Amino acid sequence: MILVAGADAEGLGEALESLGVEVVRVTGVATRESLDAAGLAEAHTLVLTDMDDASAIPVAKEANTEVRIVAYSRDSLPEFARGQADLAVDPDLLTPDVVAEELADGRVEE
C-alpha cells in the first residue's frame, strides 16, 4: 500500500491506481494521527506532494521504520527532512506515469 499526502496536483495517486496499486490518501495535514488513520503501519511507501507536510517525514519514519519516503514536488525538501527522505523527484523531470511505474515495480531504491 502507498499513502499519498498532499494535494497531488500532478496525479501521481491516479497513475499508481491505474497500475493496480492500492493507494490511500492521507486526509488533511499529514500528522501522526492522520497517517495512522490512513494505515501507516501497513504502508510500504509514503508519497508527499506538498512540502508543507515535510514535518511528517520523521514522524512516519519513527512510527514505521520500514516505510519509504518519496517527495514528489516542485518545491525543495526542507533541510531537516533531506536526510530522512529516500527519494525526491521534481514533476518537471519525471511524469507521474513514470514515477508510478517505478514505485509499482519496486524499482525505486532507497
Side-chain angles (χ1 to χ4, degrees):
M1 169 189 10
I2 295 179
L3 302 183
V4 176
D8 192 20
E10 305 301 325
L12 180 56
E14 288 85 6
L16 286 162
E17 289 171 331
S18 74
L19 295 173
V21 175
E22 180 184 2
V23 174
V24 177
R25 308 230 179 230
V26 177
T27 306
V29 177
T31 62
R32 176 64 185 261
E33 292 77 23
S34 64
L35 291 169
D36 284 345
L40 177 62
E42 295 82 34
H44 61 76
T45 303
L46 168 62
V47 175
L48 297 175
T49 64
D50 185 343
M51 292 308 98
D52 288 344
D53 284 334
S55 61
I57 294 172
V59 170
K61 285 287 196 177
E62 181 180 318
N64 178 348
T65 58
E66 300 299 315
V67 73
R68 177 176 50 184
I69 306 292
V70 176
Y72 189 66
S73 175
R74 287 180 176 82
D75 298 326
S76 297
L77 271 168
E79 186 67 36
F80 75 87
R82 287 186 186 154
Q84 293 181 307
D86 297 297
L87 180 68
V89 180
D90 185 330
D92 288 334
L93 299 177
L94 292 175
T95 66
D97 292 334
V98 171
V99 175
E101 286 179 20
E102 295 295 317
L103 291 175
D105 289 346
R107 293 183 304 221
V108 175
E109 300 294 328
E110 295 181 22

